[in-house]
Amino acid sequence: MIAIDWTALVLGGASGLVMGGLFFVGLALGMRLALRSVSPVKLLTLSAAVRIAALLGVGWVVIGQGGPWAALGYAIAFLVVRIIATTIARVGAPAGRAS
């Protein structure tokens, strides 16, 4: 039987929920700003670089502190937040009409 470190799994999951939320809030903010910007590619590139670096940096710390169970919790929580964010975006998107 595999011994599961529930504390590490939950702490990694909590970190993943927070970072996933921040990642997708940053994505939404970056998209809104890019749509109003003169140079959207630069803004989106900077936004992506900052969000990815933060996600991987915190993930690295979580793995270092909690080990593989924390990493698993972090990854699962991020995927859960991703599913929620994409579902909200899909439901909230206005239906376009072809003219």
Side-chain angles (χ1 to χ4, degrees):
M1 179 81 101
I2 296 175
I4 298 173
D5 186 356
W6 291 103
T7 303
L9 189 68
V10 169
L11 289 175
S15 300
L17 287 174
V18 170
M19 287 308 297
L22 290 174
F23 184 89
F24 288 106
V25 166
L27 175 60
L29 181 62
M31 289 302 298
R32 286 181 191 262
L33 292 174
L35 289 173
R36 296 185 191 120
S37 175
V38 176
S39 59
V41 173
K42 290 180 184 178
L43 188 61
L44 288 174
T45 303
L46 177 63
S47 172
V50 169
R51 288 182 292 112
I52 292 168
L55 186 71
L56 291 177
V58 171
W60 187 265
V61 171
V62 167
I63 291 170
Q65 295 296 316
W69 289 109
L72 181 64
Y74 187 78
I76 290 172
F78 180 79
L79 290 175
V80 167
V81 171
R82 180 189 178 275
I83 290 167
I84 292 168
T86 55
T87 301
I88 290 171
R90 190 175 305 122
V91 169
R97 292 186 302 214
S99 301

